[in-house]
Amino acid sequence: MRRLNRKKTLSLVKELDAFPKVPESYVETSASGGTVSLIAFTTMALLTIMEFSVYQDTWMKYEYEVDKDFSSKLRINIDITVAMKCQYVGADVLDLAETMVASADGLVYEPAVFDLSPQQKEWQRMLQLIQSRLQEEHSLQDVIFKSAFKSASTALPPREDDSSQSPDACRIHGHLYVNKVAGNFHITVGKAIPHPRGHAHLAALVNHESYNFSHRIDHLSFGELVPAIINPLDGTEKIAIDHNQMFQYFITVVPTKLHTYKISADTHQFSVTERERIINHAAGSHGVSGIFMKYDLSSLMVTVTEEHMPFWQFFVRLCGIVGGIFSTTGMLHGIGKFIVEIICCRFRLGSYKPVNSFRFLLRMATQTTTYLF
């Protein structure tokens, strides 16, 4: 009984065989078939290599949702050099939510030389080149996200030469924590003083001829500090042509959660619009000389996640490539062989047709002549 059941099982399995065996006498090789086979194998090898490179690559997925976090603080990371001495300038933030001045105790005022060394100029030139490419090709931002390390740094390198030149500028760097509402970070003449009714700077003690708001933004970012990410204003340099000149930057900040295979950070992206003008009250151009960065937060939050093709999908695509090329090349080879046979048959028929028709006409003419005589 067991043997009978086993035989029935084997016969049932044989009936389900989808790969019937072809006798060797039915297999016929040809030069055209070998050529097509070589082409098929070469194509499969190339497509397999390309598919494997796609499998190794990753891409960034963007998801959007409403930002519901209003209670946390927003961190502003600043590294700006102004072409004025530190005792003449002051930096702080005007918080529009509470209409009060947020203290800038987290900033450090460091005397510096405004002109860069040769190595620093090369760094700035490369950074500006990257910025121009980012404005043209937005897909490069994905490459920056994927290659970002928390340990990597894009900060201005230290001077390689021992300059004996006395400091003529002030480097303002550090970070601030402000409310997650629109605000205005600004650097202007005089130190900021607390005032119950508004916002004031001690500008009366500074000589007007010493005003020079030429500046260089080595770094400006919002949120968690990720040094490897290049922000829109990094490497920006502006030269003032007048003492009474105002530089304005209108910034729209978008909260961003970045999750890659290398880092995970809560940072912010931002877009910026620049404007500069000379203060001339007689001509109707009112304002205060200085550097003003007015920022506003978007209500949307972006989650950027690095994704990778799963192995099962890669395997399915690989099987599709192999099977598709086999079946496609087989069909093309059969169609090509059929067309060649038709063309060859036509040529053969065409070579005999004129002779047969001539003989037929000659025979008919002979028979007609005999019949007349």
Side-chain angles (χ1 to χ4, degrees):
M1 291 294 294
R2 291 182 179 178
R3 290 183 178 179
L4 291 175
N5 292 333
R6 187 177 300 175
K7 289 182 178 179
K8 290 181 179 180
T9 305
L10 290 175
S11 63
L12 180 62
V13 172
K14 289 181 179 179
E15 290 179 0
L16 296 175
D17 187 7
F19 307 98
K21 310 301 181 291
V22 180
E24 294 183 0
S25 58
Y26 292 172
V27 179
E28 181 180 354
T29 60
S30 62
S32 61
T35 304
V36 173
S37 299
L38 289 176
I39 295 174
F41 290 141
T42 305
T43 306
M44 280 190 290
L46 292 176
L47 291 180
T48 301
I49 295 173
M50 294 172 63
E51 191 66 28
F52 185 72
S53 63
V54 172
Y55 171 72
Q56 287 185 318
D57 195 14
T58 59
W59 62 88
M60 308 305 294
K61 180 181 178 182
Y62 292 83
E63 297 178 338
Y64 302 89
E65 59 181 315
V66 177
D67 185 16
K68 301 178 181 179
D69 184 12
F70 303 105
S71 59
S72 62
K73 296 289 184 178
L74 174 65
R75 172 169 170 157
I76 306 178
N77 308 295
I78 301 163
D79 190 353
I80 302 175
T81 303
V82 185
M84 292 180 65
K85 293 185 177 181
C86 292
Q87 61 267 26
Y88 296 154
V89 295
D92 58 283
V93 178
L94 180 62
D95 191 344
L96 298 183
E98 300 178 358
T99 63
M100 63 178 293
V101 176
S103 176
D105 295 335
L107 298 179
V108 178
Y109 294 78
E110 179 183 339
V113 179
F114 188 77
D115 292 334
L116 297 176
S117 64
Q119 182 179 353
Q120 291 175 332
K121 288 181 179 179
E122 181 65 20
W123 172 87
Q124 186 186 33
R125 188 187 68 82
M126 291 299 299
L127 188 57
Q128 291 175 350
L129 180 61
I130 295 174
Q131 292 285 17
S132 62
R133 290 291 302 276
L134 283 172
Q135 293 176 3
E136 297 174 358
E137 303 178 23
H138 300 286
S139 59
L140 291 178
Q141 187 65 42
D142 293 348
V143 179
I144 294 176
F145 280 154
K146 289 191 289 186
S147 60
F149 283 96
K150 284 189 176 181
S151 58
S153 178
T154 56
L156 180 70
R159 301 184 70 90
E160 73 279 6
D161 56 345
D162 297 330
S163 177
S164 59
Q165 183 180 356
S166 59
D168 58 349
C170 183
R171 180 190 174 199
I172 304 173
H173 60 97
H175 61 271
L176 301 172
Y177 287 96
V178 298
N179 295 322
K180 293 185 67 174
V181 292
N184 182 4
F185 170 75
H186 53 272
I187 302 173
T188 187
V189 179
K191 299 297 181 180
I193 57 174
H195 196 279
R197 293 186 178 181
H199 182 216
H201 284 260
L202 290 175
L205 303 178
V206 181
N207 185 11
H208 183 269
E209 297 299 326
S210 62
Y211 287 14
N212 184 3
F213 284 101
S214 299
H215 62 281
R216 183 178 61 254
I217 304 175
D218 296 325
H219 181 79
L220 178 70
S221 64
F222 297 84
E224 183 179 349
L225 180 61
V226 184
I229 295 180
I230 300 176
N231 298 276
L233 287 176
D234 294 353
T236 301
E237 183 175 286
K238 299 290 184 180
I239 304 299
I241 59 176
D242 191 272
H243 296 292
N244 292 330
Q245 193 156 350
M246 173 189 287
F247 296 91
Q248 293 176 304
Y249 299 93
F250 301 94
I251 300 172
T252 302
V253 184
V254 181
T256 305
K257 291 185 177 180
L258 181 62
H259 301 287
T260 68
Y261 291 104
K262 297 177 181 178
I263 66 168
S264 180
D266 292 335
T267 181
H268 290 69
Q269 301 178 86
F270 65 90
S271 60
V272 59
T273 303
E274 304 176 12
R275 183 189 177 191
E276 57 183 85
R277 59 188 175 92
I278 298 175
I279 304 301
N280 189 347
H281 298 286
S285 178
H286 303 290
V288 179
S289 303
I291 305 167
F292 296 86
M293 298 183 177
K294 298 181 180 181
Y295 60 89
D296 192 6
L297 275 80
S298 174
S299 58
L300 292 178
M301 180 177 64
V302 182
T303 302
V304 185
T305 308
E306 185 178 6
E307 292 193 344
H308 186 272
M309 181 188 297
F311 178 77
W312 66 266
Q313 187 175 355
F314 167 71
F315 183 74
V316 170
R317 290 164 65 102
L318 201 62
C319 292
I321 288 174
V322 176
I325 290 178
F326 259 121
S327 57
T328 304
T329 52
M331 292 173 58
L332 293 176
H333 179 251
I335 293 172
K337 190 175 181 180
F338 177 72
I339 293 173
V340 170
E341 288 179 355
I342 291 177
I343 295 173
C344 291
C345 289
R346 283 185 177 180
F347 277 126
R348 290 173 184 174
L349 291 174
S351 61
Y352 288 103
K353 272 183 177 181
V355 177
N356 293 336
S357 58
F358 176 75
R359 288 179 178 177
F360 176 76
L361 293 174
L362 182 61
R363 185 181 301 170
M364 290 296 295
T366 306
Q367 291 178 357
T368 305
T369 306
T370 306
Y371 176 78
L372 291 174
F373 284 94

